[in-house]
Amino acid sequence: MKIYKKTADLQKELQLLKKEGKTIGLVPTMGALHSGHLSLVNKCVAENDICVVSVFVNPTQFNNQNDLEKYPRTLDNDVKLLESVNCSIVFAPTVDQIYPEPDTRVFDFGQLDKVMEGKFRPGHFNGVAQVVSRLFDIVKPNRAYFGEKDFQQLAIIREMVKKYSIPVEIVGCPIVREADGMALSSRNMRLSANERGKAVLISQTLLKSCNFVPEKSVSELKQWVIDQINSEPILEVEYFDIVDGNTMQSINSWDDTDYPVGCITVYCGEEVRLIDNIKYLKK
Ligand code: PAF
């Protein structure tokens, strides 16, 4: 496995590999890797000749300085994990390698980024689009892999490649959960044992909520989920919405879509913001 910190060095290597006809897969990450990331890497390794994993905590997607500073950085451990799953190349650049000049691009995603994460974290998806488009430009991968835990992010990246005609196949990968159902996230590392114990209520409630579709109305189900989770004093729901899984827009009735998805963000304690989602099947 090779590790590159400089964009020009990585590009030189990739040019050689492409001349040999090798296909390139990219897994963009912010590091602090866990089994969820490794499931993306495993798929990328299986489907491409070369698997490139980027490890870069992107400052432009954080709208909260404290969140950026506290984001876990564990490069040595990340490198060991990536070696163990046969990753070919790690790209771990510094900020100036990704943004030699400040990135002032403003992306337009219509209504997709005006709701949920886009509404509660203004500018977040513009920052994601900046870094992901930069990485696509540097690596020029055939395929790129993203987790469905960041459900709205995946929709926005699909829209970005379509709208800006970027020739990359976007591959979405299912959420990986702990044995008790908790969605894996780098942010889980910041939870105390007590908080981690209580946070499982988020995924348990989402899972249970599936049993009430379509008997409860959309608004009744939303309220039920929020009440269940908020009944635990350490947890506070920031938003829970049931949306069309393609457009990300709220639905009012189960008949509004064939693809209803419940998307949630919950604060666990004062600082740790956890997200999760569930696809509802209409019986
Ligand atoms: O999902 C993430 O970890 C990040 O948003 C991404 C896609 C790596 C961009 O920084």
Side-chain angles (χ1 to χ4, degrees), residues 39-282:
S39 76
L40 307 184
V41 178
N42 283 330
K43 197 161 166 60
C44 180
V45 167
E47 293 180 353
N48 301 277
D49 297 319
I50 301 294
C51 168
V52 179
V53 177
S54 60
V55 177
F56 177 64
V57 181
N58 170 38
T60 73
Q61 72 187 74
F62 285 82
N63 57 333
N64 176 328
Q65 192 61 27
N66 185 44
D67 200 20
L68 171 61
E69 278 160 20
K70 296 255 171 80
Y71 202 86
R73 288 159 173 87
T74 58
L75 186 60
D76 291 348
N77 193 51
D78 293 345
V79 166
K80 279 189 206 133
L81 287 173
L82 290 171
E83 192 126 46
S84 75
V85 290
N86 299 322
C87 164
S88 337
I89 295 176
V90 180
F91 179 42
T94 46
V95 174
D96 61 312
Q97 292 294 308
I98 295 290
Y99 303 115
E101 270 149 38
D103 193 336
T104 54
R105 288 174 300 161
V106 178
F107 291 81
D108 178 9
F109 297 115
Q111 289 308 305
L112 267 189
D113 66 344
K114 304 293 180 290
V115 294
M116 299 194 289
E117 290 301 283
K119 181 169 155 197
F120 284 89
R121 299 181 72 187
H124 168 67
F125 286 125
N126 202 62
V128 170
Q130 287 175 341
V131 74
V132 172
S133 61
R134 269 298 284 149
L135 289 167
F136 286 173
D137 209 34
I138 293 167
V139 177
K140 299 195 171 37
N142 301 84
R143 299 185 189 87
Y145 296 77
F146 297 88
E148 287 184 349
K149 187 169 81 65
D150 295 296
F151 192 74
Q152 191 177 8
Q153 168 174 283
L154 178 56
I156 281 170
I157 289 165
R158 287 193 197 284
E159 176 64 16
M160 179 179 81
V161 299
K162 194 162 126 205
K163 184 162 181 177
Y164 298 94
S165 305
I166 306 174
V168 183
E169 183 191 332
I170 303 300
V171 184
C173 304
I175 298 179
V176 178
R177 297 183 181 279
E178 305 261 17
D180 65 0
M182 174 96 172
L184 292 187
S185 164
S186 305
R187 291 172 196 266
N188 295 355
M189 287 182 197
R190 293 177 55 197
L191 299 173
S192 67
N194 179 43
E195 288 169 337
R196 169 64 186 82
K198 308 283 189 208
V200 71
L201 186 61
I202 303 166
S203 56
Q204 281 175 349
T205 303
L206 291 183
L207 198 64
K208 248 193 226 163
S209 72
C210 295
N211 299 328
F212 303 126
V213 178
E215 286 74 23
K216 279 191 197 294
S217 70
V218 170
S219 64
E220 283 167 350
L221 194 67
K222 283 204 255 188
Q223 200 54 53
W224 182 82
V225 166
I226 293 170
D227 291 345
Q228 290 290 307
I229 295 176
N230 283 348
S231 70
E232 168 48 59
I234 225 172
L235 301 176
E236 192 178 344
V237 176
E238 184 172 51
Y239 66 80
F240 173 60
D241 205 357
I242 301 179
V243 300
D244 174 300
N246 292 312
T247 65
M248 301 297 125
Q249 304 309 299
S250 299
I251 59 166
N252 296 312
S253 137
W254 298 113
D255 292 334
D256 287 351
T257 179
D258 290 331
Y259 186 18
V261 182
C263 297
I264 196 160
T265 295
V266 179
Y267 272 95
C268 184
E270 290 295 303
E271 288 196 341
V272 185
R273 192 173 177 275
L274 301 171
I275 71 173
D276 201 347
N277 63 75
I278 192 110
K279 294 177 186 170
Y280 291 116
L281 292 179
K282 293 197 282 177

